[in-house]
Amino acid sequence: MAWNLTFLLITISFFVMIMESTDAAFQTKPWSYSHATFYGDETGRETMGGACGYGNLFASGYGLATAALSSTLYNNGFACGACFQIKCTNSKWCNPGTPYTTVTATNLCPPNWYQDSNNGGWCNPPRTHFDMAKPAFMKIAQWKAGIVPVMYRRVPCARKGGINFSFQGNGYWLLVYVMNVGGGGDISQMWVKGTKTGWISMSHNWGASYQAFAVLGGQALSFKITSYSTKETIIAYNVAPPTWSTGMTYKCSVNFR
C-alpha cells in the first residue's frame, strides 16, 4: 500500500512538472490589425544598432529580418527581442499569395508629432506600427507602396543555442546586453552572481540591457533571467570565466522556449 501511494505521488509530481514546463512555453498570440512601412535600403545598413542595443544585427544573429516598433508596441524596451509574424492585407501592393514574414523587434520607431497620425506620423501613440527593414518589407509587399495595412501576431522566437550576454562597463559597473533570447524573446528581470557574491538584482538600463553597480572582477559570473511574457525564470551558471572582460560576448547553453 505504501509503495502504491509513493508511486502515485511520483506520478502526480511528474505530470505537474510537465504542465509547468508546457505552460512556461510562449504561446502564439491572435492576429491583430496594424500598418507597416520600411526604412533603409536592401543592404540593411541603416537598421544596424537601434534602440534595443543589439549593435551589428548580423553579428548578433538577427540579420535583416527586423523591425522598429512604435512606442505602443516597444513598451519602454521590454519588447526588444520579441518576434512577430506580419502579412500584408487588403492592398494592391501585397505580394501574391499573402505570404507572411517573421521579424525580431530591434529598434524603436519614435513618434513624429509634427505630422498627423494618419498621414506620416505612423508611429504616434496609441498606434501600433512596424517600420521594417526593407528586405523584410519586400517579402510581404512591393516597396513602392511605402505603407501597407498588415495583420500581425506574436510568435515564439526560434533561436539556435543559448542566450548571449555582451559585456560593457567598468570595474564598478557591469552593463549587459542580452541577445538571442528564445520563447517570448523578451526579459523583465535579471540578476548576476559572482563566485564571491549572492544574487545581485540588475536594473533595466535601456532596450535589452541590464546593469549592476558592483565589483565583480576576477569572479566567474552566472545570470538569472525572467521572461517578460511567460514569467518563467531560468539560470545560466558560469556564463563568463573569472578572466571575463568588457567588450566580450559570452554564450550559455540555456534558453527559453
Side-chain angles (χ1 to χ4, degrees):
M1 182 67 179
W3 184 89
N4 289 337
L5 180 59
T6 301
F7 178 77
L8 178 62
L9 290 174
I10 293 174
T11 303
I12 292 173
S13 299
F14 176 74
F15 281 112
V16 168
M17 289 173 63
I18 291 177
M19 289 175 65
E20 289 177 347
S21 176
T22 302
D23 290 344
F26 182 82
Q27 304 297 316
T28 298
K29 304 303 181 184
W31 290 101
S32 299
Y33 184 77
S34 189
H35 287 82
T37 49
F38 68 87
Y39 68 114
D41 58 19
E42 287 86 343
T43 68
R45 182 174 59 252
E46 291 86 351
T47 67
M48 297 298 111
C52 289
Y54 293 136
N56 185 312
L57 298 178
F58 292 105
S60 55
Y62 300 113
L64 298 175
T66 63
L69 308 183
S70 62
S71 56
T72 299
L73 290 172
Y74 183 74
N75 191 24
N76 293 318
F78 288 109
C80 286
C83 296
F84 297 84
Q85 281 183 348
I86 304 175
K87 60 182 179 181
C88 180
T89 184
N90 298 325
S91 172
K92 67 178 182 179
W93 301 106
C94 295
N95 288 340
T98 317
Y100 66 77
T101 190
T102 302
V103 297
T104 299
T106 60
N107 203 353
L108 167 68
C109 180
N112 182 354
W113 298 115
Y114 293 101
Q115 293 184 304
D116 185 89
S117 296
N118 295 310
N119 187 22
W122 310 121
C123 292
N124 295 347
R127 291 181 62 104
T128 61
H129 188 85
F130 297 87
D131 199 19
M132 304 170 68
K134 188 175 182 180
F137 183 89
M138 292 171 63
K139 289 187 176 182
I140 63 169
Q142 299 178 50
W143 66 268
K144 293 180 181 179
I147 181 171
V148 293
V150 298
M151 299 297 292
Y152 75 94
R153 63 180 179 180
R154 285 279 305 275
V155 295
C157 296
R159 306 295 186 206
K160 294 182 179 179
I163 297 172
N164 298 340
F165 304 84
S166 181
F167 288 10
Q168 298 294 333
N170 54 46
Y172 304 93
W173 170 58
L174 177 64
L175 180 67
V176 181
Y177 293 90
V178 189
M179 299 174 286
N180 200 53
V181 180
D186 49 17
I187 57 176
S188 64
Q189 289 180 287
M190 189 166 162
W191 298 260
V192 62
K193 182 182 184 301
T195 48
K196 300 176 183 177
T197 74
W199 286 107
I200 300 170
S201 178
M202 305 180 74
S203 60
H204 184 219
N205 185 287
W206 64 285
S209 67
Y210 284 75
Q211 62 190 358
F213 294 91
V215 178
L216 296 167
Q219 304 178 59
L221 301 183
S222 301
F223 293 96
K224 182 164 59 174
I225 314 106
T226 297
S227 165
Y228 188 91
S229 295
T230 67
K231 313 307 178 188
E232 179 188 9
T233 298
I234 58 177
I235 299 177
Y237 288 105
N238 299 318
V239 171
T243 55
W244 64 266
S245 62
T246 57
M248 298 294 292
T249 298
Y250 300 92
K251 303 180 179 181
C252 72
S253 59
V254 297
N255 213 328
F256 295 106
R257 296 168 291 110

